[in-house]
Amino acid sequence: MVNLVFIMESKKILILPIINRILTGLGENIRLARLRRRFSASLVSQRAGISRPTLRAIEHGEPGVSIGAYANVLLSLGMEKDLTLIAANDSLGRKLQDTKLLVKKRAPKKKKETSLAK
């Protein structure tokens, strides 16, 4: 019997600079909201059910933090309704809808290239 060992590489997510700036701004907004409420990092992390390093990562806009952790922090700050504002104003989608263009649910499949050389 052969023992197989699988080595999983950690997948690196490419974060574009504009997304990095948005996440940094979001983290700063969350930090300022916490400070305005005079909540300690310990209190918010405990209420959110996350560790203090995870809260620190959120407040610094690190991209590897799950959306669930962000949601729990917003809930602990009483700002959970802000999540409903994400993608609420879909002006491009509404323009497409108004022009009555048919928008497929999926992107078209790529056609396979056929080779003429044998």
Side-chain angles (χ1 to χ4, degrees):
M1 183 173 245
V2 177
N3 289 332
L4 297 176
V5 178
F6 294 97
I7 299 174
M8 299 287 293
E9 284 187 39
S10 61
K11 293 183 181 179
K12 201 84 163 158
I13 298 173
L14 176 65
I15 302 297
L16 297 174
I18 189 164
I19 299 301
N20 202 21
R21 285 191 297 272
I22 291 169
L23 288 174
T24 300
L26 175 61
E28 180 67 15
N29 290 344
I30 290 172
R31 186 181 78 79
L32 290 173
R34 176 180 63 80
L35 294 174
R36 281 191 292 268
R37 287 161 176 72
R38 297 181 183 221
F39 290 166
S40 69
S42 301
L43 177 66
V44 172
S45 62
Q46 182 181 7
R47 286 182 178 179
I50 60 173
S51 66
R52 285 188 64 197
T54 301
L55 178 61
R56 181 193 162 286
I58 288 171
E59 291 183 352
H60 283 88
E62 293 180 16
V65 181
S66 73
I67 189 72
Y70 276 92
N72 285 340
V73 169
L74 289 173
L75 177 65
S76 70
L77 295 173
M79 300 174 66
E80 68 280 358
K81 298 226 186 249
D82 287 359
L83 284 172
T84 62
L85 300 176
I86 296 174
N89 187 15
D90 182 15
S91 58
L92 175 61
R94 294 191 192 280
K95 286 178 185 177
L96 290 171
Q97 185 179 29
D98 291 344
T99 60
K100 298 182 181 177
L101 293 176
L102 294 177
V103 179
K104 294 185 177 183
K105 292 182 182 180
R106 295 181 55 173
K109 292 182 180 180
K110 291 183 181 179
K111 293 184 179 181
K112 294 181 182 178
E113 292 184 27
T114 57
S115 173
L116 297 177
K118 289 187 179 180

